[in-house]
Amino acid sequence: MHISMRPEWMKPSNGIVAAVALAAALTLAGKAGAIDPPPWAGLEDPHLNVVPRTDAERERIAAVTAPPGDFSAPWPFEENPGGAQTVRARDTADAFSQPAANLSFEQELDFRVGNGMFRRLWVSPPASTIASDGLGPLYNARSCQRCHLKDGRGHPPEGPKDGAVSMFLRISVPAPDADAIERYIAGTHATAPDPVYGGQLQDFSLPGHTPEYRLDIRYDEVEVKLSGGEVATLRRPTYTAADLGYGPLHPGAMLSPRVAPQMIGMGLLEAIPTGDILAWADPDDTDGDGISGHPQIVWSTVHDRPMLGRFGHKAGNPTVLEQTAEAFAGDIGISNPLHPAGSGECTAAQTACIAALDGGDPEHGGVEIDRTGLDLVAFYSRTLAVPARRDLDDPEVLRGREVFYGTGCTACHRPTYVTHRLEGGDPASFQLIWPYTDLLLHDMGDGLADNRPEGRANGREWRTAPLWGIGLTQTVSGHSFFLHDGRARSLLEAVLWHGGEAQAARDTVVDMPPEDRAALIRYLESL
């Protein structure tokens, strides 16, 4: 069931106007016996200890984030996309695994402990290693690191001997109506987990249990003619949930492929003021530029209110902590304070899975990873450093930057922000950052559509992916697969898959002189 809302708020010039307008546009409804709708507090960012900005700071921020007019030389601070968290770019697979440069000694200790838990291989219960048991019974990977290898991007399986350990299928079905959603947010597409397979398909299981499926991918090649006589070949995927272990999928099942995203800079993205993101939104394209990004709004379990979604391919989670907790439960089958079921993502229809032993520890609230452990993994995820830019003064890179801006790529891949000023020695505090994303949802056209809505994102919409570090993908991950499902084998292929709101920019890339196209890719490789 599609439930829509078309707010009439315009793209404002400051975040306060945006937040107030969004507050007026959003309403909440609960089940029968509805809960009182909590207010939308767009600028509060309740997950952060925020120090309000002064007028002088706002002026400084406006000046430092204004697009420069001179493209002939590197710009101030451009070399450090993560601000003071930036580290030297390494030419090894560890380039994404470094702690932020501005961590205190105590924070770096927490980073190291969190890293150990991120890499931990979980085992089946019961086990003598009490701190590490609780895997499954159904799962996609045995550790966070198995999906986010070296904290980089996942990839689709390449060949019959390559497993899909860093890729899986999300699944949902149409909900009968909004009342089926516990805390429905207006504008949300009413969906529910599959009654048998839940919210994602797991392709591994413990002994005695049957995996839910095997991911099968078939590619058809599509040629794209480019200016100058060049030709690019795209691969169009078809996904099948094969060898289903628990009977057929629901007749209305909607599947969406996802590869694990890179991990760098997440704490900085979390620290961007909500108002600054909302100020960029223009859902009705009131300025006529063809770009109509809108915010994802999701329910925060931790803060018991609707919040801006930031993380995941469709921005389905509001905070790093909630993204971490969901991944533990869904990907590894590890219970935690936010997802306390010992059987992980198993459904009531999977009776053997529900009845299986779990690794819940009574001394830690009966869950398999407690809040302390969850916080340490979340801290690690927040403080993975962004590597420095490379080759800033290379003439081709400089030309590529000019092409990137001139083609309109920055309408969605917003270059700069200044994060909140935060209390408590938070390393993300008041940093000028260059993530190249607006963190909004955009229609990317039929070619990239998964036809599976999620929250306020329809089946053609995706969150703008950050571009920082994208040029180090081959170095870190050993491959150059991009987009939400890894179909693109190069940055050029990724650009050519853009449609919908990005169609005009994509067509400009197709038609531009080959040397400009090469410069554009060279610039992306420098990020």
Side-chain angles (χ1 to χ4, degrees):
M1 178 179 180
H2 177 81
I3 301 170
S4 64
M5 178 187 71
R6 293 180 58 82
E8 298 301 325
W9 37 286
M10 299 175 63
K11 181 182 286 184
S13 59
N14 78 57
I16 295 177
V17 176
V20 172
L22 185 61
L26 284 176
T27 59
L28 297 175
K31 291 183 175 180
I35 59 173
D36 291 330
W40 169 253
L43 294 183
E44 286 187 10
D45 289 325
H47 57 302
L48 301 171
N49 297 318
V50 176
V51 179
R53 289 176 174 173
T54 65
D55 289 342
E57 285 176 341
R58 282 192 285 270
E59 290 180 6
R60 288 170 54 201
I61 291 167
V64 78
T65 58
D70 180 13
F71 286 87
S72 64
W75 296 329
F77 316 115
E78 188 182 15
E79 184 178 8
N80 297 319
Q85 291 198 7
T86 307
V87 296
R88 172 180 59 85
R90 289 159 171 78
D91 58 0
T92 68
D94 293 323
F96 286 174
S97 299
Q98 305 305 312
N102 63 345
L103 297 188
S104 67
F105 178 78
E106 292 78 11
Q107 288 170 335
E108 187 162 349
L109 289 179
D110 285 344
F111 176 92
R112 301 296 179 189
V113 176
N115 182 21
M117 300 188 73
F118 189 84
R119 298 163 59 92
R120 173 181 291 173
L121 286 175
W122 293 84
V123 299
S124 59
S128 57
T129 53
I130 296 175
S132 299
D133 71 346
L135 176 67
L138 305 177
Y139 60 96
N140 294 110
R142 291 184 58 197
S143 72
C144 307
Q145 181 78 197
R146 287 290 180 92
C147 288
H148 303 275
L149 185 62
K150 292 293 185 179
D151 306 294
R153 297 172 184 270
H155 67 280
E158 293 295 306
K161 294 184 178 181
D162 187 16
V165 71
S166 59
M167 183 178 189
F168 65 83
L169 294 177
R170 290 213 180 276
I171 180 171
S172 54
V173 300
D177 53 50
D179 287 342
I181 302 174
E182 184 179 357
R183 293 182 177 92
Y184 173 71
I185 298 175
T188 295
H189 301 270
T191 62
D194 184 279
V196 174
Y197 289 94
Q200 72 186 59
L201 292 170
Q202 284 91 15
D203 50 355
F204 293 101
S205 67
L206 298 180
H209 297 270
T210 303
E212 290 186 320
Y213 85 122
R214 175 180 57 82
L215 177 60
D216 183 72
I217 310 175
R218 189 192 75 239
Y219 292 106
D220 295 316
E221 294 196 345
V222 180
E223 285 194 350
V224 178
K225 294 182 179 179
L226 309 174
S227 62
E230 297 180 355
V231 177
T233 303
L234 308 183
R235 54 179 191 175
R236 184 186 304 278
T238 299
Y239 299 97
T240 302
D243 300 337
L244 291 167
Y246 298 87
L249 302 176
H250 185 280
M254 300 172 286
L255 301 174
S256 180
R258 307 291 174 88
V259 296
Q262 65 185 31
M263 298 286 294
I264 57 173
M266 293 176 66
L268 294 168
L269 297 178
E270 188 175 52
I272 297 171
T274 291
D276 289 0
I277 296 169
L278 298 180
W280 204 261
D282 185 13
D284 297 319
D285 191 20
T286 55
D287 61 4
D289 67 352
I291 307 299
S292 53
H294 67 96
Q296 175 72 285
I297 311 296
V298 297
W299 190 269
S300 168
T301 302
V302 173
H303 300 286
D304 198 30
R305 66 172 66 190
M307 289 178 61
L308 178 71
R310 302 174 188 240
F311 302 104
H313 291 293
K314 294 206 177 192
N317 271 305
T319 64
V320 175
L321 178 66
E322 287 166 275
Q323 179 79 3
T324 301
E326 183 177 282
F328 265 116
D331 299 348
I332 315 177
I334 299 300
S335 62
N336 57 75
L338 276 62
H339 299 273
S343 53
E345 221 247 334
C346 297
T347 67
Q350 296 167 325
T351 54
C353 181
I354 294 292
L357 290 172
D358 66 70
D361 185 354
E363 294 184 4
H364 295 91
V367 293
E368 292 157 339
I369 183 170
D370 62 12
R371 182 58 187 264
T372 298
L374 201 60
D375 284 341
L376 284 166
V377 176
F379 182 80
Y380 169 76
S381 302
R382 287 191 190 99
T383 53
L384 282 163
V386 180
R389 287 275 312 279
R390 285 91 51 215
D391 303 323
L392 272 73
D393 57 354
D394 182 282
E396 189 176 28
V397 170
L398 292 172
R399 174 57 186 160
R401 182 183 61 183
E402 187 172 7
V403 173
F404 182 82
Y405 279 71
T407 303
C409 302
T410 57
C412 299
H413 290 285
R414 180 178 176 178
T416 56
Y417 298 86
V418 172
T419 59
H420 273 302
R421 187 181 291 282
L422 302 170
E423 296 178 333
D426 192 309
S429 177
F430 213 58
Q431 301 298 316
L432 171 63
I433 61 173
W434 302 69
Y436 300 92
T437 175
D438 60 9
L439 293 175
L440 298 174
L441 300 171
H442 292 275
D443 183 336
M444 295 300 292
D446 288 333
L448 289 178
D450 65 349
N451 301 311
R452 176 187 174 272
E454 180 180 327
R456 290 163 55 88
N458 67 31
R460 293 164 51 101
E461 292 177 323
W462 300 93
R463 181 203 67 163
T464 305
L467 298 182
W468 50 13
I470 198 168
L472 290 170
T473 299
Q474 180 70 49
T475 299
V476 172
S477 301
H479 65 74
S480 56
F481 299 129
F482 301 103
L483 301 177
H484 67 279
D485 57 359
R487 71 177 66 185
R489 295 162 293 187
S490 67
L491 290 171
L492 177 60
E493 286 187 29
V495 171
L496 296 177
W497 271 112
H498 283 49
E501 296 172 43
Q503 185 70 45
R506 176 263 187 201
D507 291 347
T508 300
V509 172
V510 168
D511 296 335
M512 66 178 48
E515 57 271 22
D516 281 353
R517 194 163 50 240
L520 173 64
I521 299 304
R522 183 78 179 84
Y523 170 67
L524 294 175
E525 290 172 344
S526 79
L527 296 181

